[in-house]
mmCIF file of all heavy atoms in Angstrom:
data_model
loop_
_atom_site.group_PDB
_atom_site.id
_atom_site.type_symbol
_atom_site.label_atom_id
_atom_site.label_comp_id
_atom_site.label_asym_id
_atom_site.label_seq_id
_atom_site.Cartn_x
_atom_site.Cartn_y
_atom_site.Cartn_z
ATOM 1 N N TYR A 263 -20.943 -57.812 -24.591
ATOM 2 C CA TYR A 263 -20.977 -57.102 -23.301
ATOM 3 C C TYR A 263 -20.864 -58.048 -22.107
ATOM 4 O O TYR A 263 -20.515 -57.626 -21.008
ATOM 5 C CB TYR A 263 -22.257 -56.273 -23.180
ATOM 6 C CG TYR A 263 -22.243 -54.986 -23.981
ATOM 7 C CD1 TYR A 263 -23.380 -54.170 -24.062
ATOM 8 C CD2 TYR A 263 -21.102 -54.579 -24.675
ATOM 9 C CE1 TYR A 263 -23.373 -52.995 -24.798
ATOM 10 C CE2 TYR A 263 -21.093 -53.403 -25.418
ATOM 11 C CZ TYR A 263 -22.229 -52.617 -25.482
ATOM 12 O OH TYR A 263 -22.219 -51.448 -26.208
ATOM 13 N N ASP A 264 -21.149 -59.326 -22.308
ATOM 14 C CA ASP A 264 -21.056 -60.279 -21.200
ATOM 15 C C ASP A 264 -19.623 -60.381 -20.670
ATOM 16 O O ASP A 264 -19.410 -60.721 -19.498
ATOM 17 C CB ASP A 264 -21.547 -61.655 -21.650
ATOM 18 C CG ASP A 264 -21.559 -62.652 -20.504
ATOM 19 O OD1 ASP A 264 -22.159 -62.350 -19.455
ATOM 20 O OD2 ASP A 264 -20.937 -63.733 -20.635
ATOM 21 N N PHE A 265 -18.644 -60.074 -21.519
ATOM 22 C CA PHE A 265 -17.240 -60.142 -21.100
ATOM 23 C C PHE A 265 -16.870 -58.998 -20.143
ATOM 24 O O PHE A 265 -15.736 -58.949 -19.668
ATOM 25 C CB PHE A 265 -16.315 -60.120 -22.317
ATOM 26 C CG PHE A 265 -16.379 -61.389 -23.130
ATOM 27 C CD1 PHE A 265 -16.969 -61.401 -24.380
ATOM 28 C CD2 PHE A 265 -15.859 -62.573 -22.637
ATOM 29 C CE1 PHE A 265 -17.037 -62.561 -25.132
ATOM 30 C CE2 PHE A 265 -15.917 -63.738 -23.367
ATOM 31 C CZ PHE A 265 -16.515 -63.747 -24.623
ATOM 32 N N LEU A 266 -17.815 -58.111 -19.877
ATOM 33 C CA LEU A 266 -17.586 -57.041 -18.904
ATOM 34 C C LEU A 266 -18.106 -57.411 -17.516
ATOM 35 O O LEU A 266 -17.831 -56.703 -16.547
ATOM 36 C CB LEU A 266 -18.267 -55.747 -19.370
ATOM 37 C CG LEU A 266 -17.719 -55.129 -20.659
ATOM 38 C CD1 LEU A 266 -18.645 -54.016 -21.131
ATOM 39 C CD2 LEU A 266 -16.312 -54.602 -20.459
ATOM 40 N N GLU A 267 -18.861 -58.511 -17.449
ATOM 41 C CA GLU A 267 -19.396 -58.949 -16.169
ATOM 42 C C GLU A 267 -18.268 -59.499 -15.303
ATOM 43 O O GLU A 267 -17.425 -60.267 -15.783
ATOM 44 C CB GLU A 267 -20.478 -60.007 -16.364
ATOM 45 C CG GLU A 267 -21.706 -59.510 -17.105
ATOM 46 C CD GLU A 267 -22.426 -58.405 -16.345
ATOM 47 O OE1 GLU A 267 -22.382 -58.416 -15.105
ATOM 48 O OE2 GLU A 267 -23.025 -57.539 -17.003
ATOM 49 N N GLU A 268 -18.266 -59.121 -14.047
ATOM 50 C CA GLU A 268 -17.171 -59.506 -13.154
ATOM 51 C C GLU A 268 -17.031 -61.019 -13.038
ATOM 52 O O GLU A 268 -15.914 -61.552 -13.084
ATOM 53 C CB GLU A 268 -17.396 -58.890 -11.767
ATOM 54 C CG GLU A 268 -16.226 -59.097 -10.831
ATOM 55 C CD GLU A 268 -16.429 -58.412 -9.485
ATOM 56 O OE1 GLU A 268 -17.365 -57.583 -9.378
ATOM 57 O OE2 GLU A 268 -15.663 -58.697 -8.548
ATOM 58 N N ALA A 269 -18.147 -61.715 -12.907
ATOM 59 C CA ALA A 269 -18.103 -63.175 -12.759
ATOM 60 C C ALA A 269 -17.536 -63.839 -14.015
ATOM 61 O O ALA A 269 -16.724 -64.769 -13.928
ATOM 62 C CB ALA A 269 -19.506 -63.706 -12.461
ATOM 63 N N THR A 270 -17.946 -63.356 -15.184
ATOM 64 C CA THR A 270 -17.479 -63.935 -16.448
ATOM 65 C C THR A 270 -15.985 -63.742 -16.625
ATOM 66 O O THR A 270 -15.252 -64.694 -16.909
ATOM 67 C CB THR A 270 -18.221 -63.290 -17.639
ATOM 68 O OG1 THR A 270 -19.616 -63.482 -17.484
ATOM 69 C CG2 THR A 270 -17.770 -63.909 -18.953
ATOM 70 N N ILE A 271 -15.528 -62.513 -16.456
ATOM 71 C CA ILE A 271 -14.106 -62.223 -16.671
ATOM 72 C C ILE A 271 -13.249 -62.892 -15.602
ATOM 73 O O ILE A 271 -12.114 -63.316 -15.852
ATOM 74 C CB ILE A 271 -13.865 -60.693 -16.728
ATOM 75 C CG1 ILE A 271 -12.549 -60.386 -17.433
ATOM 76 C CG2 ILE A 271 -13.913 -60.066 -15.369
ATOM 77 C CD1 ILE A 271 -12.567 -60.667 -18.894
ATOM 78 N N LYS A 272 -13.784 -63.038 -14.405
ATOM 79 C CA LYS A 272 -13.051 -63.700 -13.313
ATOM 80 C C LYS A 272 -12.802 -65.163 -13.648
ATOM 81 O O LYS A 272 -11.684 -65.676 -13.471
ATOM 82 C CB LYS A 272 -13.846 -63.577 -12.007
ATOM 83 C CG LYS A 272 -13.117 -64.080 -10.784
ATOM 84 C CD LYS A 272 -13.942 -63.807 -9.531
ATOM 85 C CE LYS A 272 -13.194 -64.255 -8.290
ATOM 86 N NZ LYS A 272 -13.985 -63.968 -7.055
ATOM 87 N N ASP A 273 -13.838 -65.847 -14.147
ATOM 88 C CA ASP A 273 -13.695 -67.263 -14.517
ATOM 89 C C ASP A 273 -12.689 -67.434 -15.649
ATOM 90 O O ASP A 273 -11.876 -68.366 -15.639
ATOM 91 C CB ASP A 273 -15.045 -67.840 -14.929
ATOM 92 C CG ASP A 273 -16.006 -67.979 -13.750
ATOM 93 O OD1 ASP A 273 -15.516 -67.972 -12.595
ATOM 94 O OD2 ASP A 273 -17.228 -68.079 -13.981
ATOM 95 N N LEU A 274 -12.737 -66.535 -16.631
ATOM 96 C CA LEU A 274 -11.831 -66.640 -17.774
ATOM 97 C C LEU A 274 -10.381 -66.367 -17.370
ATOM 98 O O LEU A 274 -9.467 -67.044 -17.841
ATOM 99 C CB LEU A 274 -12.254 -65.669 -18.875
ATOM 100 C CG LEU A 274 -13.536 -66.028 -19.629
ATOM 101 C CD1 LEU A 274 -13.873 -64.949 -20.651
ATOM 102 C CD2 LEU A 274 -13.397 -67.380 -20.327
ATOM 103 N N VAL A 275 -10.184 -65.362 -16.514
ATOM 104 C CA VAL A 275 -8.815 -65.058 -16.066
ATOM 105 C C VAL A 275 -8.228 -66.241 -15.307
ATOM 106 O O VAL A 275 -7.074 -66.620 -15.513
ATOM 107 C CB VAL A 275 -8.806 -63.787 -15.191
ATOM 108 C CG1 VAL A 275 -7.458 -63.606 -14.515
ATOM 109 C CG2 VAL A 275 -9.121 -62.559 -16.037
ATOM 110 N N LYS A 276 -9.027 -66.855 -14.445
ATOM 111 C CA LYS A 276 -8.546 -68.030 -13.709
ATOM 112 C C LYS A 276 -8.240 -69.183 -14.655
ATOM 113 O O LYS A 276 -7.269 -69.920 -14.487
ATOM 114 C CB LYS A 276 -9.591 -68.461 -12.676
ATOM 115 C CG LYS A 276 -9.618 -67.586 -11.426
ATOM 116 C CD LYS A 276 -10.537 -68.179 -10.371
ATOM 117 C CE LYS A 276 -10.434 -67.388 -9.075
ATOM 118 N NZ LYS A 276 -11.316 -67.956 -8.015
ATOM 119 N N LYS A 277 -9.082 -69.330 -15.663
ATOM 120 C CA LYS A 277 -8.920 -70.417 -16.632
ATOM 121 C C LYS A 277 -7.628 -70.284 -17.427
ATOM 122 O O LYS A 277 -6.930 -71.277 -17.671
ATOM 123 C CB LYS A 277 -10.125 -70.428 -17.581
ATOM 124 C CG LYS A 277 -10.078 -71.510 -18.646
ATOM 125 C CD LYS A 277 -11.330 -71.442 -19.506
ATOM 126 C CE LYS A 277 -11.313 -72.501 -20.600
ATOM 127 N NZ LYS A 277 -12.550 -72.434 -21.437
ATOM 128 N N TYR A 278 -7.293 -69.056 -17.830
ATOM 129 C CA TYR A 278 -6.146 -68.856 -18.712
ATOM 130 C C TYR A 278 -4.901 -68.327 -17.993
ATOM 131 O O TYR A 278 -3.959 -67.864 -18.648
ATOM 132 C CB TYR A 278 -6.530 -67.898 -19.845
ATOM 133 C CG TYR A 278 -7.569 -68.477 -20.779
ATOM 134 C CD1 TYR A 278 -8.773 -67.825 -21.011
ATOM 135 C CD2 TYR A 278 -7.346 -69.697 -21.415
ATOM 136 C CE1 TYR A 278 -9.729 -68.360 -21.860
ATOM 137 C CE2 TYR A 278 -8.292 -70.250 -22.262
ATOM 138 C CZ TYR A 278 -9.485 -69.574 -22.487
ATOM 139 O OH TYR A 278 -10.421 -70.118 -23.325
ATOM 140 N N SER A 279 -4.885 -68.373 -16.677
ATOM 141 C CA SER A 279 -3.714 -67.886 -15.938
ATOM 142 C C SER A 279 -2.942 -69.008 -15.245
ATOM 143 O O SER A 279 -2.026 -68.750 -14.480
ATOM 144 C CB SER A 279 -4.145 -66.851 -14.893
ATOM 145 O OG SER A 279 -4.981 -67.455 -13.912
ATOM 146 N N GLN A 280 -3.317 -70.237 -15.526
ATOM 147 C CA GLN A 280 -2.709 -71.375 -14.833
ATOM 148 C C GLN A 280 -1.211 -71.503 -15.095
ATOM 149 O O GLN A 280 -0.460 -71.905 -14.220
ATOM 150 C CB GLN A 280 -3.425 -72.675 -15.234
ATOM 151 C CG GLN A 280 -4.886 -72.720 -14.799
ATOM 152 C CD GLN A 280 -5.584 -73.976 -15.288
ATOM 153 O OE1 GLN A 280 -4.955 -74.862 -15.851
ATOM 154 N NE2 GLN A 280 -6.888 -74.050 -15.083
ATOM 155 N N PHE A 281 -0.801 -71.188 -16.313
ATOM 156 C CA PHE A 281 0.602 -71.384 -16.679
ATOM 157 C C PHE A 281 1.353 -70.065 -16.847
ATOM 158 O O PHE A 281 2.399 -70.016 -17.488
ATOM 159 C CB PHE A 281 0.694 -72.211 -17.964
ATOM 160 C CG PHE A 281 -0.014 -73.538 -17.865
ATOM 161 C CD1 PHE A 281 -1.249 -73.730 -18.463
ATOM 162 C CD2 PHE A 281 0.549 -74.577 -17.138
ATOM 163 C CE1 PHE A 281 -1.912 -74.944 -18.359
ATOM 164 C CE2 PHE A 281 -0.105 -75.794 -17.027
ATOM 165 C CZ PHE A 281 -1.341 -75.980 -17.634
ATOM 166 N N ILE A 282 0.791 -68.992 -16.284
ATOM 167 C CA ILE A 282 1.446 -67.688 -16.341
ATOM 168 C C ILE A 282 2.271 -67.502 -15.073
ATOM 169 O O ILE A 282 1.769 -67.667 -13.968
ATOM 170 C CB ILE A 282 0.411 -66.553 -16.476
ATOM 171 C CG1 ILE A 282 -0.454 -66.769 -17.724
ATOM 172 C CG2 ILE A 282 1.102 -65.200 -16.530
ATOM 173 C CD1 ILE A 282 0.296 -66.757 -19.032
ATOM 174 N N ASN A 283 3.548 -67.172 -15.241
ATOM 175 C CA ASN A 283 4.454 -67.060 -14.094
ATOM 176 C C ASN A 283 4.481 -65.674 -13.459
ATOM 177 O O ASN A 283 5.343 -65.403 -12.634
ATOM 178 C CB ASN A 283 5.873 -67.444 -14.524
ATOM 179 C CG ASN A 283 5.977 -68.922 -14.845
ATOM 180 O OD1 ASN A 283 5.320 -69.744 -14.225
ATOM 181 N ND2 ASN A 283 6.781 -69.258 -15.830
ATOM 182 N N PHE A 284 3.552 -64.826 -13.858
ATOM 183 C CA PHE A 284 3.495 -63.482 -13.293
ATOM 184 C C PHE A 284 2.134 -63.270 -12.640
ATOM 185 O O PHE A 284 1.128 -63.837 -13.094
ATOM 186 C CB PHE A 284 3.723 -62.417 -14.378
ATOM 187 C CG PHE A 284 5.071 -62.505 -15.035
ATOM 188 C CD1 PHE A 284 5.247 -63.227 -16.211
ATOM 189 C CD2 PHE A 284 6.174 -61.883 -14.467
ATOM 190 C CE1 PHE A 284 6.488 -63.314 -16.806
ATOM 191 C CE2 PHE A 284 7.422 -61.975 -15.056
ATOM 192 C CZ PHE A 284 7.586 -62.687 -16.229
ATOM 193 N N PRO A 285 2.065 -62.463 -11.588
ATOM 194 C CA PRO A 285 0.773 -62.224 -10.928
ATOM 195 C C PRO A 285 -0.208 -61.503 -11.850
ATOM 196 O O PRO A 285 0.160 -60.563 -12.551
ATOM 197 C CB PRO A 285 1.136 -61.360 -9.719
ATOM 198 C CG PRO A 285 2.475 -60.785 -10.021
ATOM 199 C CD PRO A 285 3.172 -61.769 -10.899
ATOM 200 N N ILE A 286 -1.443 -61.980 -11.841
ATOM 201 C CA ILE A 286 -2.515 -61.364 -12.631
ATOM 202 C C ILE A 286 -3.569 -60.837 -11.670
ATOM 203 O O ILE A 286 -4.096 -61.587 -10.846
ATOM 204 C CB ILE A 286 -3.156 -62.370 -13.606
ATOM 205 C CG1 ILE A 286 -2.101 -62.949 -14.550
ATOM 206 C CG2 ILE A 286 -4.277 -61.711 -14.401
ATOM 207 C CD1 ILE A 286 -2.641 -64.002 -15.494
ATOM 208 N N TYR A 287 -3.857 -59.556 -11.776
ATOM 209 C CA TYR A 287 -4.831 -58.914 -10.888
ATOM 210 C C TYR A 287 -6.079 -58.534 -11.676
ATOM 211 O O TYR A 287 -5.999 -58.102 -12.831
ATOM 212 C CB TYR A 287 -4.244 -57.657 -10.250
ATOM 213 C CG TYR A 287 -3.095 -57.920 -9.309
ATOM 214 C CD1 TYR A 287 -1.774 -57.882 -9.768
ATOM 215 C CD2 TYR A 287 -3.309 -58.206 -7.966
ATOM 216 C CE1 TYR A 287 -0.706 -58.123 -8.917
ATOM 217 C CE2 TYR A 287 -2.253 -58.446 -7.093
ATOM 218 C CZ TYR A 287 -0.952 -58.404 -7.574
ATOM 219 O OH TYR A 287 0.091 -58.647 -6.725
ATOM 220 N N LEU A 288 -7.216 -58.695 -11.028
ATOM 221 C CA LEU A 288 -8.495 -58.293 -11.615
ATOM 222 C C LEU A 288 -9.116 -57.211 -10.741
ATOM 223 O O LEU A 288 -9.146 -57.329 -9.514
ATOM 224 C CB LEU A 288 -9.441 -59.495 -11.706
ATOM 225 C CG LEU A 288 -10.861 -59.206 -12.212
ATOM 226 C CD1 LEU A 288 -10.842 -58.744 -13.671
ATOM 227 C CD2 LEU A 288 -11.740 -60.444 -12.055
ATOM 228 N N TRP A 289 -9.598 -56.141 -11.379
ATOM 229 C CA TRP A 289 -10.276 -55.067 -10.648
ATOM 230 C C TRP A 289 -11.659 -55.586 -10.274
ATOM 231 O O TRP A 289 -12.542 -55.739 -11.118
ATOM 232 C CB TRP A 289 -10.385 -53.828 -11.522
ATOM 233 C CG TRP A 289 -10.976 -52.628 -10.847
ATOM 234 C CD1 TRP A 289 -12.190 -52.062 -11.091
ATOM 235 C CD2 TRP A 289 -10.365 -51.825 -9.828
ATOM 236 N NE1 TRP A 289 -12.390 -50.970 -10.300
ATOM 237 C CE2 TRP A 289 -11.283 -50.801 -9.501
ATOM 238 C CE3 TRP A 289 -9.154 -51.875 -9.161
ATOM 239 C CZ2 TRP A 289 -11.018 -49.834 -8.547
ATOM 240 C CZ3 TRP A 289 -8.890 -50.910 -8.205
ATOM 241 C CH2 TRP A 289 -9.809 -49.906 -7.901
ATOM 242 N N GLY A 290 -11.833 -55.893 -9.002
ATOM 243 C CA GLY A 290 -13.083 -56.501 -8.573
ATOM 244 C C GLY A 290 -13.630 -55.874 -7.309
ATOM 245 O O GLY A 290 -12.978 -55.066 -6.645
ATOM 246 N N SER A 291 -14.838 -56.270 -6.973
ATOM 247 C CA SER A 291 -15.515 -55.719 -5.799
ATOM 248 C C SER A 291 -15.699 -56.793 -4.741
ATOM 249 O O SER A 291 -15.800 -57.978 -5.051
ATOM 250 C CB SER A 291 -16.879 -55.149 -6.190
ATOM 251 O OG SER A 291 -17.728 -56.180 -6.680
#
Side-chain angles (χ1 to χ4, degrees):
Y263 283 175
D264 184 53
F265 290 109
L266 295 170
E267 296 297 329
E268 187 177 347
T270 302
I271 200 70
K272 187 175 182 179
D273 290 341
L274 289 178
V275 170
K276 283 188 174 181
K277 180 179 179 180
Y278 294 123
S279 64
Q280 296 176 6
F281 304 103
I282 303 298
N283 291 326
F284 298 94
I286 302 177
Y287 294 93
L288 176 65
W289 184 250
S291 63

